[in-house]
Amino acid sequence: MLITWWYLYLAARSFVEQSLKMASILQKLITPLFSGPPEPPRNKVTVVGVGQVGMACAVSILLRELADELALVDVMEDKLKGEMMDLQHGSLFLKTPKIVADKDYSVTANSRIVVVTAGVRQQEGESRLNLVQRNVNIFKHIVPQIVRYSPDCIIIVVSNPVDVLTYVTWKLSGLPKHRVIGSGTNLDSARFRFLMADKLGIHPSSFNGWILGEHGDTSVPVWSGTNVAGVNLQLLNPNIGTDCDDENWKETHKMVVDSAYEVIKLKGYTNWAIGLSVADLTESLIKNMNRIHPVSAMVKGMYGISDEVYLSLPCVLNSRGVASVVNMTLTDDEVAQLQASANTLWDIQKDLQDV
Amino acid sequence: MQLCITASLLFPLSLFPFCIPSAPLYLLFIHSDSFFLPHLLYCLPFTVCFCVLYALFPCYYFPQMSTKDKLISHVMKEEPVGSRSKVTVVGVGMVGMASAVSVLLKDLCDELALVDVMEDKLKGEAMDLQHGSLFLKTHKIVADKDYSVTANSKVVVVTAGARQQEGESRLNLVQRNVNIFKFIIPNIVKYSPNCILLVVSNPVDILTYVAWKLSGFPRHRVIGSGTNLDSARFRHIMGEKLHLHPSSCHGWIIGEHGDSSVPVWSGVNVAGVSLQGLNPQMGAEGDSENWKAVHKQVVDGAYEVIKLKGYTSWAIGMSVADLVESIMKNLHKVHPVSTLVQGMHGVKDEVFLSVPCVLGNSGLTDVIHMTLKPDEEKQLVNSAETLWGVQKELTL
């Protein structure tokens, strides 16, 4: 017993010595001019879920230098800590000085943007809508905690099926509808622009084309809007996107819809493209850019949709969230497709429990 | 004249055999004066035939301009210039993809090539990156099992090979990775004879030596990622201790990238102030601040991350992008990377170890000569001997 007290005394003594002497190199080297509590972060981003998509989002955001603090949250503690350490070891090469991670959501406090990638993912051949109820249950745990620690944040939902889950997040969070965004067809439009631009031999950013509606099998390509340098492609080829088109441009949209399935079949999952797309949205939000992106927003009252559903439309994003929605001139056929998607989504949403 | 007519008969006949029946008509009237009617009769089948063909296959006979041609006129007569700053990544595992994404997000190349043996995974990764092209400034991303896609690369990053399992040391991987390199390196050299090789696979110092021998490149074009990552880890931990950003904390770890790396305590400084000057015990056993533990954390760092998430990827990827940036942009920045150190610091053997080197677009052009303490030099010599002991057993 005496020995225990002796050891405790030795430990306490060396601890005190250490902390006193530790102060000495710091004291000798650095003279503080201002002591006070550390400043809270101004551009904090949280990523919920450290799977392949979550880490791709995190790395894209870090390498684009968008945040001054990054928080990671997940339920798998080892993986989470490992990913955090791996990112921290690269901090010499980054401009994000603070990278934190914990199972407990208190690390996410005061975030400006929260990216939710948590949830189960599509298996090979599985449709996004199959994942719904499983992911709703996960969200019931995640969303209230996010809002508790960051009541002023903007939530970007990435988990699939993204339109349904954005609705679920909106309901569970109680946030105003302009602060809950789904990554929606930002990725589909990026894929569309890449594939079309590739056929024309130009860079994707020089080809303008929008895919709206549901992020999934029933997305709507707006052929009337496709243009390069202001030259409308539908005027050059009036059959573009239809079945009687000789050049079969409709095939490109089909490739966009199938591309996720194809990449999943080849490498097991998709992550880089969605990560880059989320970083692009984050940039518009954090830098208050007022740029237009096709993201999933609440569309009740537009295009004759009477249900509370989230579908992708061209939205102006700034630091408040979705500032406004662009009214695209759509053909009757395209409006009908949007309405059909809205009905499908509402059918699924009305059956969800505890939302 | 009649000879011409006869000749002109034969040519179309060969094209349109079904017009033969009307040909004898010519022969009947060939010496008569009324030549017009048989001529008309002869031409009629051709005319009818062509009209039918034009009606049935208009897009073949009247090619419509495609949407692309209506939109874009190609005005350049010469062949397009190929890529000028191409980077290849060999191996699309976690490290390879982290390196690829870091290089892409830093806008370092105008073409990226990926190579691996697993075809599906390779194609999937390439597609995934291509789908993000809208957000990148690298127009061409290619991938194939065949090394011809890597032609004319400026920098080739080699990440292929077996990786450390939990608890396994880097030296265990040697012979497995040498065999893989015997296939990879000659293929790289064949298609990019002027490239700079950046070796990342572990054990990096030995494999950089192997790559140098197999490629036949001069020593300034074979670089090992070496202790660039160890130094980054060290500076991060130092930054946490001093509440500073890692880029303001200077410290160099040299030697073997692994368990016996050498922290050069005398060089550790902030704003030119030597920390060892403030704390002479720094790095020694009796140091109450226990800076030696910082170095131990660096050495153990990789093992710990592997234990937690199965592998390390992000830090090494960013470190590779940092080196590629210095090379591509000809920065002449000093990095601790693995190079041939024979003749330096008392090392006699032909081994590669990390020392501070100047990197530019020709490769590794200069080496900084550090003033090391005798025990630091002794550690380098010991590392060199261990590495040579392994290297001389290899069959190259």
Side-chain angles (χ1 to χ4, degrees):
Chain A
M1 162 122 161
L2 272 176
I3 294 178
T4 323
W5 283 114
W6 176 245
Y7 280 137
L8 275 173
Y9 162 71
L10 277 180
R13 192 176 83 171
S14 70
F15 177 73
V16 168
E17 269 178 13
Q18 256 203 0
S19 42
L20 282 179
K21 289 232 175 107
M22 178 83 92
S24 72
I25 226 184
L26 204 47
Q27 279 177 342
K28 287 183 204 175
L29 183 67
I30 294 173
T31 306
L33 285 183
F34 159 76
S35 343
E39 279 269 316
R42 295 178 203 220
N43 291 320
K44 179 167 172 175
V45 175
T46 292
V47 177
V48 179
V50 296
Q52 297 293 351
V53 174
M55 288 317 294
C57 294
V59 164
S60 303
I61 288 171
L62 285 173
L63 282 163
R64 288 253 185 260
E65 299 170 13
L66 298 174
D68 61 7
E69 186 174 331
L70 178 77
L72 303 172
V73 194
D74 201 305
V75 291
M76 301 193 289
E77 294 183 70
D78 277 355
K79 169 89 168 147
L80 180 65
K81 187 169 178 214
E83 293 287 4
M84 175 193 75
M85 283 179 73
D86 205 2
L87 289 177
Q88 284 173 339
H89 289 166
S91 51
L92 170 61
F93 311 113
L94 299 171
K95 303 255 177 18
T96 303
K98 197 166 170 194
I99 301 173
V100 291
D102 205 321
K103 200 166 83 151
D104 182 7
Y105 280 76
S106 54
V107 293
T108 73
N110 300 316
S111 301
R112 272 189 74 177
I113 313 254
V114 178
V115 179
V116 181
T117 70
V120 294
R121 67 168 181 238
Q122 283 161 272
Q123 301 303 316
E124 190 179 328
E126 192 183 10
S127 136
R128 289 177 182 93
L129 290 171
N130 279 356
L131 311 171
V132 179
Q133 191 62 52
R134 290 194 279 168
N135 280 343
V136 168
N137 298 335
I138 295 176
F139 273 48
K140 278 190 236 178
H141 170 71
I142 293 176
V143 177
Q145 301 228 54
I146 294 173
V147 177
R148 176 175 158 205
Y149 289 104
S150 310
D152 299 323
C153 71
I154 297 170
I155 303 184
I156 302 179
V157 180
V158 183
S159 326
N160 273 316
V162 68
D163 305 295
V164 177
L165 288 178
T166 315
Y167 168 82
V168 167
T169 309
W170 174 55
K171 283 286 179 197
L172 288 172
S173 64
L175 290 176
K177 61 186 181 184
H178 64 269
R179 284 207 272 131
V180 180
I181 304 170
S183 67
T185 58
N186 198 38
L187 176 56
D188 304 48
S189 298
R191 286 180 173 137
F192 182 65
R193 290 170 74 177
F194 161 69
L195 291 168
M196 294 290 282
D198 200 42
K199 284 199 173 158
L200 297 171
I202 54 178
H203 192 267
S205 57
S206 298
F207 175 87
N208 291 310
W210 296 81
I211 292 192
L212 307 177
E214 185 202 345
H215 169 61
D217 303 334
T218 60
S219 57
V220 182
V222 182
W223 294 106
S224 54
T226 53
N227 72 86
V228 175
V231 181
N232 189 306
L233 261 63
Q234 198 172 51
L235 286 179
L236 295 181
N237 177 357
N239 288 328
I240 199 171
T242 61
D243 290 316
C244 36
D245 177 16
D246 296 325
E247 297 176 58
N248 203 4
W249 286 102
K250 196 171 163 144
E251 174 73 15
T252 315
H253 175 237
K254 188 171 185 314
M255 280 171 72
V256 170
V257 169
D258 291 341
S259 53
Y261 297 113
E262 209 187 329
V263 176
I264 291 174
K265 197 174 83 169
L266 290 169
K267 69 176 242 202
Y269 52 87
T270 83
N271 63 339
W272 303 124
I274 181 63
L276 289 167
S277 134
V278 164
D280 187 50
L281 297 177
T282 309
E283 191 181 18
S284 287
L285 292 168
I286 283 196
K287 295 187 184 177
N288 198 21
M289 288 175 83
N290 282 305
R291 268 199 303 185
I292 303 180
H293 298 266
V295 286
S296 203
M298 236 284 277
V299 301
K300 176 173 169 182
M302 296 179 220
Y303 301 106
I305 294 170
S306 54
D307 303 310
E308 269 182 351
V309 288
Y310 269 75
L311 283 178
S312 292
L313 287 178
C315 299
V316 179
L317 295 184
N318 63 17
S319 49
R320 293 261 177 85
V322 179
S324 37
V325 176
V326 172
N327 297 320
M328 277 192 101
T329 26
L330 301 177
T331 64
D332 294 330
D333 188 42
E334 286 158 354
V335 172
Q337 280 181 281
L338 281 184
Q339 286 170 342
S341 290
N343 291 335
T344 318
L345 291 173
W346 183 246
D347 280 336
I348 297 173
Q349 279 169 205
K350 66 184 200 288
D351 293 329
L352 293 174
Q353 283 139 7
D354 316 314
V355 164
Chain B
M1 171 66 178
Q2 278 155 358
L3 203 58
C4 292
I5 293 173
T6 326
S8 68
L9 256 179
L10 293 170
F11 173 67
L13 268 182
S14 59
L15 295 177
F16 295 99
F18 47 78
C19 294
I20 290 176
S22 57
L25 285 170
Y26 261 125
L27 299 170
L28 282 177
F29 291 100
I30 211 157
H31 292 288
S32 87
D33 293 319
S34 55
F35 205 64
F36 180 69
L37 186 59
H39 195 86
L40 181 69
L41 283 173
Y42 183 64
C43 290
L44 203 58
F46 291 115
T47 322
V48 169
C49 157
F50 275 122
C51 288
V52 165
L53 283 171
Y54 291 156
L56 283 176
F57 307 108
C59 39
Y60 179 71
Y61 289 98
F62 304 114
Q64 272 246 321
M65 276 178 81
S66 67
T67 310
K68 179 179 177 178
D69 293 328
K70 287 188 208 173
L71 182 67
I72 299 174
S73 304
H74 194 66
V75 296
M76 185 170 84
K77 295 189 184 52
E78 299 94 17
E79 282 296 306
V81 172
S83 54
R84 292 177 207 242
S85 52
K86 178 168 171 174
V87 172
T88 292
V89 177
V90 180
V92 295
M94 290 304 178
V95 174
M97 289 316 293
S99 307
V101 164
S102 302
V103 165
L104 286 173
L105 277 161
K106 285 175 78 101
D107 302 335
L108 296 178
C109 56
D110 61 11
E111 185 174 338
L112 179 77
L114 302 173
V115 195
D116 202 302
V117 290
M118 300 192 292
E119 294 185 70
D120 276 355
K121 168 88 167 148
L122 179 64
K123 185 166 179 218
E125 292 287 4
M127 281 179 76
D128 206 2
L129 289 178
Q130 285 168 342
H131 289 163
S133 296
L134 171 61
F135 312 112
L136 298 170
K137 304 252 177 14
T138 302
H139 186 53
K140 201 165 167 193
I141 299 174
V142 291
D144 204 319
K145 200 167 83 152
D146 181 8
Y147 280 76
S148 54
V149 293
T150 73
N152 302 319
S153 302
K154 287 274 182 308
V155 179
V156 177
V157 181
V158 184
T159 69
R163 66 166 180 241
Q164 284 163 269
Q165 303 301 314
E166 191 181 322
E168 191 184 10
S169 133
R170 291 178 183 91
L171 287 172
N172 278 356
L173 310 173
V174 180
Q175 191 59 51
R176 288 194 277 166
N177 281 344
V178 168
N179 297 335
I180 294 175
F181 271 43
K182 279 193 221 173
F183 171 71
I184 292 176
I185 305 286
N187 271 314
I188 293 174
V189 173
K190 177 174 163 196
Y191 290 101
S192 309
N194 300 318
C195 73
I196 293 169
L197 273 174
L198 182 55
V199 179
V200 184
S201 327
N202 272 317
V204 67
D205 304 296
I206 296 181
L207 289 179
T208 314
Y209 167 82
V210 168
W212 176 56
K213 282 285 179 203
L214 289 173
S215 63
F217 279 179
R219 54 164 292 189
H220 67 270
R221 285 202 280 126
V222 182
I223 305 170
S225 65
T227 57
N228 198 41
L229 176 56
D230 305 48
S231 301
R233 284 181 175 136
F234 182 80
R235 293 168 74 178
H236 159 69
I237 299 172
M238 190 175 149
E240 300 247 288
K241 263 171 114 80
L242 300 174
H243 308 296
L244 298 170
H245 192 268
S247 57
S248 297
C249 300
H250 301 282
W252 295 82
I253 295 195
I254 59 173
E256 187 199 346
H257 168 61
D259 303 336
S260 62
S261 58
V262 181
V264 182
W265 299 109
S266 53
V268 177
N269 72 89
V270 173
V273 181
S274 162
L275 295 197
Q276 200 173 47
L278 298 179
N279 176 0
Q281 293 297 318
M282 190 182 199
E285 288 298 338
D287 175 18
S288 51
E289 290 182 39
N290 204 4
W291 280 90
K292 205 172 155 107
V294 174
H295 176 236
K296 187 164 190 318
Q297 262 183 288
V298 170
V299 167
D300 290 343
Y303 296 113
E304 207 186 334
V305 176
I306 292 174
K307 195 172 85 169
L308 290 169
K309 68 177 243 200
Y311 52 88
T312 82
S313 58
W314 305 122
I316 181 65
M318 292 181 213
S319 144
V320 162
D322 184 49
L323 297 175
V324 171
E325 187 183 18
S326 287
I327 296 172
M328 295 302 241
K329 296 186 183 177
N330 197 22
L331 293 180
H332 286 88
K333 223 163 109 164
V334 181
H335 297 268
V337 285
S338 199
T339 186
L340 186 64
V341 294
Q342 189 179 33
M344 297 181 215
H345 301 293
V347 173
K348 305 253 184 335
D349 308 305
E350 227 181 28
V351 291
F352 278 66
L353 286 175
S354 293
V355 283
C357 304
V358 180
L359 295 184
N361 60 9
S362 318
L364 195 155
T365 50
D366 307 88
V367 174
I368 308 290
H369 185 79
M370 290 184 101
T371 343
L372 299 177
K373 297 218 171 61
D375 59 317
E376 286 162 349
E377 286 209 340
K378 187 156 177 305
Q379 276 183 279
L380 281 187
V381 171
N382 284 344
S383 289
E385 279 167 13
T386 318
L387 292 178
W388 183 246
V390 177
Q391 275 170 209
K392 66 183 201 282
E393 307 292 331
L394 296 174
T395 40
L396 284 179

